[in-house]
Amino acid sequence: MGTEKTGISSSTTGQVKSAARVLDVLDDIAARGPGTQLQLANRLGIPKSSLHALLRTMCARGWLDTDQTGSVYRLGIHTLTVSSAYLDGDPVLSRASSVMDEIAAATEETVHLGRLEGSDVIYTAKRESKHPLRMHSAVGRRLPAYATSLGRAMLAEQPEAVRDTLIPHQIEPLTAQATTDRGALLAIIEKAQQVGYAEESEESCLGVRCFGVALPFSRASTDALSVAVPISRLDQAREDFIIEMLLSVKARLSALHDNSMMR
C-alpha cells in the first residue's frame, strides 16, 4: 500500500476517488497500525491537504479515533460495530458454529474457521482450547494462506491455474520452520487435495501443529476448519483422531449441502 491506489482516474476504474481513499485509510491502519497524518500521507501517497479533511470526517463518524494528543489516528469504534454485523449476518458462520462446538468438545483443542481472501486466509471464528495455548489467531487476523492448514486446505480445492496465482514466487516465512521452497509448497498442497485435508507443523506458530479441511459451502471452497494442537500434547493416536474427525465432518457437510453455493 505504499503508493496511492486512487490516483488513477475514476472514469477508467469506476471508483469514486474520495470513497476509495476512505477505504485505503481503513485498510492501511488495519494492516500497519495507527499513524500520524504525515505517516498516513506517506504510506498512502495522499497529499496532506487532502487527507486532513478526510481524517476529520472519519473521526466525526466514528470510523477513526485519535490518541490523547490528537495526532495519532487509529481505528474507531464504528469499525467494530460493522464487523460485528458482518459476523452476525454471515451464513457460513451460523452454519459452522455447531460443528465448531462439536469439534472443540471432542478434541478440547483450539478450533478455527477461516475464509480465503485473495492469497490470504482471514480468521472468522474461533473456539478456545480448554488447555493453556497462546496463538496469534484472533478473529479478523490475516495470514498468508500458504502458511496455514486452513489456507492450504482451501488452496487445494482451487483449480490448478488459480492455485498457482495465489502462491507467491517469493515465500515469506512466518517462523523458522516454514516451507520456503515454492515447489515443495505446491507439492504439499497437491497432497492435501489427494488426502482431503491439509496440515502444517510450526509454520504459522512455533510449538503448534494444525490440521485443516475445506468446507463444502461453495464450488471451490473458500471456507475451512482447523484444529490446532501443541506438539507436546500430540501423539500418533491423537493426530489420527483429529484428522478422522475433520474428514468425517467434511463428508457429513458435503452430504447435507450437496456441494451447493451458500453465498
Side-chain angles (χ1 to χ4, degrees):
M1 274 212 209
T3 60
E4 183 182 357
K5 295 181 179 179
T6 56
I8 302 172
S9 170
S10 59
S11 63
T12 60
T13 65
Q15 295 186 26
V16 177
K17 192 172 186 178
S18 58
R21 281 179 168 172
V22 167
L23 298 177
D24 285 343
V25 169
L26 292 173
D27 284 343
D28 183 83
I29 294 177
R32 305 188 190 189
T36 64
Q37 182 177 324
L38 178 60
Q39 288 171 331
L40 292 171
N42 290 335
R43 275 153 46 170
L44 291 165
I46 300 176
K48 279 183 65 181
S49 57
S50 301
L51 190 59
H52 179 68
L54 198 69
L55 294 175
R56 287 183 60 188
T57 301
M58 293 176 73
C59 284
R61 298 295 295 268
W63 287 99
L64 294 181
D65 196 3
T66 60
D67 66 349
Q68 292 181 343
T69 68
S71 60
V72 178
Y73 294 87
R74 57 179 179 244
L75 294 179
I77 192 68
H78 196 58
T79 59
L80 178 60
T81 303
V82 171
S83 62
S84 295
Y86 172 82
L87 294 175
D88 289 342
D90 187 273
V92 171
L93 269 66
S94 61
R95 295 291 183 93
S97 180
S98 61
V99 174
M100 293 183 71
D101 291 339
E102 176 188 343
I103 296 172
T107 64
E108 298 188 342
E109 301 294 354
T110 302
V111 180
H112 295 114
L113 182 68
R115 178 161 300 162
L116 190 65
E117 176 75 9
S119 59
D120 293 335
V121 60
I122 298 177
Y123 290 91
T124 53
K126 181 179 182 180
R127 300 291 186 271
E128 295 286 356
S129 169
K130 291 189 176 181
H131 309 283
L133 173 60
R134 182 178 178 82
M135 289 195 69
H136 304 293
S137 55
V139 171
R141 193 181 184 209
R142 178 187 294 263
L143 289 176
Y146 62 75
T148 68
S149 65
L150 284 170
R152 290 175 180 180
M154 290 183 282
L155 289 173
E157 296 282 322
Q158 305 302 311
E160 249 185 87
V162 174
R163 187 190 308 167
D164 190 62
T165 66
L166 296 179
I167 300 175
H169 288 275
Q170 185 68 37
I171 306 297
E172 296 293 334
L174 297 183
T175 73
Q177 301 300 317
T179 301
T180 56
D181 180 86
R182 191 171 188 270
L185 196 52
L186 286 168
I188 289 171
I189 295 169
E190 178 66 28
K191 179 185 176 184
Q193 182 187 33
Q194 294 168 3
V195 299
Y197 70 93
E199 57 187 306
E200 59 93 353
S201 186
E202 299 190 276
E203 296 190 61
S204 62
C205 182
L206 288 174
V208 176
R209 187 165 170 79
C210 300
F211 308 90
V213 292
L215 297 178
F217 293 155
S218 56
R219 294 292 176 188
S221 296
T222 54
D223 295 277
L225 279 172
S226 73
V227 177
V229 193
I231 291 175
S232 61
R233 213 163 44 236
L234 189 65
D235 56 26
Q236 191 60 55
R238 187 156 178 73
E239 179 174 324
D240 291 343
F241 171 73
I242 290 169
I243 292 170
E244 287 171 11
M245 182 161 200
L246 287 171
L247 289 174
S248 174
V249 164
K250 181 179 180 180
R252 191 170 79 230
L253 291 174
S254 295
L256 284 172
H257 299 287
D258 194 27
N259 203 34
S260 61
M261 291 288 289
M262 288 182 58
R263 294 193 301 282

